Amino acid sequence: MVIAMSDLSFKDVKNEISRLDKLSDLEVKKYADTGGYADVIARANKKLKTTQLRKFFGAIRSMEKKADSWEKIEADFYLLKPQLANALGRDLIPREFYEIMMAIMDRVDRGDDAEKLENFRVFVSFLESIVAYHKFYE
């Protein structure tokens, strides 16, 4: 079933991401366009504090700087998951944000090292879109 971008709910986005084989299969338009996945995620997580989002995004950006191979960022990437779990446990991020980040991150570690690196680049771009829409709705 194909859902029009303007009719997407947070649950639809989560389900569509969960059906992906790997994150690089996701078209930029689907997550970056107005009404797309990043927009829906930002609207659904208005209670997410900017400081928490920026902290998470900052960690991703620092990984991106040394991302010339998956091997160089793999450990840092996996350490993001317990950091997100800790933030959720301390009520610093909404459960919906945690769940969608886990769904997205689970699509990064797929394929060979070159594919994982490409998935990571899409992840950075996707998160950058979420940050932009979150700022817009703030």
Side-chain angles (χ1 to χ4, degrees):
M1 174 173 78
V2 175
I3 301 169
M5 292 276 275
S6 61
D7 297 330
L8 283 174
S9 71
F10 180 80
K11 185 177 178 183
D12 294 331
V13 170
K14 188 176 165 193
N15 288 338
E16 289 189 27
I17 288 170
S18 295
R19 284 194 289 266
L20 292 172
D21 181 44
K22 57 187 185 290
L23 200 58
S24 60
D25 292 339
L26 185 59
E27 298 170 35
V28 172
K29 181 178 171 69
K30 280 197 169 187
Y31 68 83
D33 202 7
T34 303
Y37 297 173
D39 190 356
V40 171
I41 292 166
R43 273 187 280 125
N45 287 281
K46 288 181 184 174
K47 293 181 182 175
L48 177 62
K49 290 184 172 54
T50 303
T51 54
Q52 290 302 313
L53 185 56
R54 290 275 177 199
K55 182 178 178 182
F56 183 63
F57 188 56
I60 304 258
R61 279 289 195 207
S62 66
M63 287 174 24
E64 182 185 33
K65 290 176 184 170
K66 58 182 180 179
D68 57 3
S69 74
W70 177 250
E71 187 177 82
K72 287 186 180 178
I73 62 168
E74 185 175 19
D76 290 338
F77 178 78
Y78 288 117
L79 289 171
L80 288 174
K81 290 184 175 188
Q83 290 172 8
L84 281 170
N86 180 52
L88 175 63
R90 295 177 58 210
D91 281 333
L92 298 174
I93 61 172
R95 177 163 293 283
E96 292 82 10
F97 183 73
Y98 172 80
E99 289 175 358
I100 200 71
M101 284 299 105
M102 290 297 111
I104 295 168
M105 291 173 73
D106 286 345
R107 301 303 175 277
V108 173
D109 188 15
R110 305 274 178 104
D112 62 25
D113 283 357
E115 289 171 313
K116 290 175 185 177
L117 200 54
E118 180 57 27
N119 293 333
F120 177 76
R121 288 190 176 109
V122 172
F123 174 60
V124 172
S125 181
F126 195 160
L127 192 58
E128 185 174 45
S129 299
I130 293 169
V131 169
Y133 281 114
H134 184 269
K135 184 65 177 172
F136 175 74
Y137 291 117
E138 186 177 54

